[in-house]
Amino acid sequence: MRRKIFLGGLFLLGSLMVFAEHARLTRSGIIIVGSGEHVRAFEPFRGTIDGGQGYADAVNRYKKTFGDAVNVYCMIIPTAVAIYCPDEARGWTKDQRSTVRNIYGRLSDSVKAIDLFDTMDEHASEDIYSRTDHHWAPLGAYYAAKQFASLAGVPFADLSTYEKHVIHDYVGTMYRFSRDAAVKNAPEDFVYYVPTDVDYTTTYIRYQLGKNRKVVGEKEPEEGNFFYDYEDGSSAAYMTFMHGDTNTTKVKTSTRNGRRLLILKDSYGNAIPAYLFHSFEEIHVVDCRYFTKNIVHYVQKNDITDILFANNAGHAYAAVTHQAYNRYLEQ
């Protein structure tokens, strides 16, 4: 439970300061709180308390399909509004926690749920979400990956063993979404972490997109970097991981434990795999919007032992997500 104290127009959330008197809603529907370098922008959540049945059904279907041969995990990732929205702005968003926990309550007992709310609350005073982008920050993904690795019973490397990289003067998608000058004038550091003491190779199948970002073809598998470099000031810094979403990715590591992970994700999931190179022999990453093959054949061909659903709460609530996951079982 978060400890919240009101002091003359501002809230103290743990050691995090949120300037409630500056909470406002832009014409485009983006919530903005704080001022100056403390500005934070986030999207409202639109889900209802009893929503998400389709997502739970899809996850359960995967577990039923693969049975005891594959461990299935469900990680619904909170978005920033669930962690940082002050009481004064709660009328502009729905209660995300009740929706997510409703989905968890509908999962089969054989699916392993990963509830991140307490973890995100505990670390809310750290830079676990970007202030100027709709994604979480790589540090938030680290804490989530740590919780998953513990549940999965695999090794996990402490963040102190990683190499820290910083992209300065980052302003992400929330300026484009809001067109609010306060967001543009509050750049932040984008900090990401590169694993050490583990060897890995990354292979991509790149998708070719046509109208409405529909997949019209794919390239032959090719090796590439897992991390891509962006200059200071680049608004594309979150694409550091795998250069974005429009590919299927396979990472082969020097870890030897017989465990091979498939991550089914949206863009929030992009920041997770690198924290698991010490945990799995292979990590396969599939985006919920672009995969074109039969997932049963893919799992069998690659001897997958573990499947992690890693979607942010908005995607988990949206019908298009569970429809895609069901289609992957059939196409």
Side-chain angles (χ1 to χ4, degrees):
M1 181 67 67
R2 291 177 297 173
R3 180 170 174 266
K4 182 171 63 178
I5 303 172
F6 181 73
L7 293 174
L10 60 85
F11 285 100
L12 297 180
L13 184 61
S15 60
L16 176 72
M17 187 175 294
V18 178
F19 291 83
E21 74 272 24
H22 293 297
R24 53 193 173 84
L25 189 68
T26 69
R27 290 182 178 179
S28 57
I30 300 301
I31 299 172
I32 297 180
V33 299
S35 60
E37 64 182 10
H38 299 290
V39 160
R40 182 180 297 276
F42 39 74
E43 298 174 288
F45 179 68
R46 302 303 186 190
T48 58
I49 292 175
D50 59 352
Q53 179 70 60
Y55 188 84
D57 288 345
V59 175
N60 290 339
R61 187 180 176 192
Y62 273 65
K63 182 57 183 174
K64 183 177 181 180
T65 298
F66 295 109
D68 294 338
V70 178
N71 303 308
V72 176
Y73 309 83
C74 182
M75 175 194 289
I76 302 176
I77 302 166
T79 61
V81 70
I83 308 302
Y84 296 109
C85 187
D87 288 345
E88 285 70 16
R90 292 203 178 276
W92 299 328
T93 185
K94 301 291 187 181
D95 181 11
Q96 188 172 120
R97 293 168 192 250
S98 59
T99 302
V100 171
R101 286 171 173 163
N102 174 65
I103 296 174
Y104 285 150
R106 296 172 183 267
L107 293 175
S108 164
D109 291 341
S110 56
V111 173
K112 301 177 182 181
I114 303 166
D115 190 328
L116 295 178
F117 284 107
D118 289 346
T119 298
M120 297 295 107
D121 285 344
E122 179 183 353
H123 296 282
S125 62
E126 304 171 43
D127 293 327
I128 58 173
Y129 286 84
S130 294
R131 293 185 297 99
T132 68
D133 193 85
H134 71 283
H135 295 103
W136 57 356
L139 183 60
Y142 166 78
Y143 289 121
K146 182 178 182 178
Q147 186 172 336
F148 162 63
S150 176
L151 183 61
V154 292
F156 189 76
D158 188 80
L159 193 63
S160 62
T161 67
Y162 284 70
E163 185 178 88
K164 181 178 178 180
H165 292 250
V166 182
I167 299 172
H168 300 285
D169 298 323
Y170 171 59
V171 177
T173 55
M174 297 312 295
Y175 173 62
R176 175 163 52 88
F177 293 172
S178 69
R179 289 300 175 187
D180 192 282
V183 178
K184 182 180 181 180
N185 295 328
E188 58 188 317
D189 286 344
F190 184 87
V191 182
Y192 66 97
Y193 304 88
V194 175
T196 60
D197 301 324
V198 62
D199 297 324
Y200 57 93
T201 57
T202 307
T203 303
Y204 295 102
I205 297 175
R206 304 285 190 186
Y207 296 125
Q208 297 168 313
L209 304 183
K211 292 182 179 180
N212 300 319
R213 296 187 64 81
K214 297 293 185 181
V215 177
V216 296
E218 62 182 41
K219 297 182 179 180
E220 291 297 315
E222 61 179 359
E223 288 191 8
N225 298 323
F226 184 88
F227 298 95
Y228 286 78
D229 295 328
Y230 287 89
E231 296 180 353
D232 288 350
S234 173
S235 62
Y238 192 81
M239 290 184 67
T240 289
F241 313 106
M242 303 177 293
H243 210 203
D245 303 310
T246 55
N247 51 69
T248 292
T249 304
K250 174 184 176 180
V251 181
K252 188 175 181 63
T253 77
S254 57
T255 300
R256 292 293 175 263
N257 61 358
R259 303 285 291 273
R260 288 169 293 278
L261 174 67
L262 170 62
I263 301 177
L264 301 176
K265 58 82 185 180
D266 54 58
S267 56
Y268 269 63
N270 295 4
I272 294 175
Y275 297 118
L276 300 172
F277 291 176
H278 294 89
S279 307
F280 292 89
E281 287 192 8
E282 292 180 3
I283 301 172
H284 298 249
V285 187
V286 165
D287 194 276
C288 63
R289 293 158 290 189
Y290 303 109
F291 192 64
T292 60
K293 297 179 174 58
N294 181 280
I295 204 77
V296 177
H297 295 163
Y298 190 93
V299 167
Q300 294 171 344
K301 177 182 177 181
N302 292 284
D303 295 322
I304 298 297
T305 60
D306 300 82
I307 295 176
L308 170 64
F309 287 84
N311 292 105
N312 74 64
H315 261 287
Y317 181 77
V320 66
T321 304
H322 68 76
Q323 290 168 356
Y325 286 145
N326 283 320
R327 187 172 66 251
Y328 297 162
L329 289 170
E330 302 162 355
Q331 61 192 12

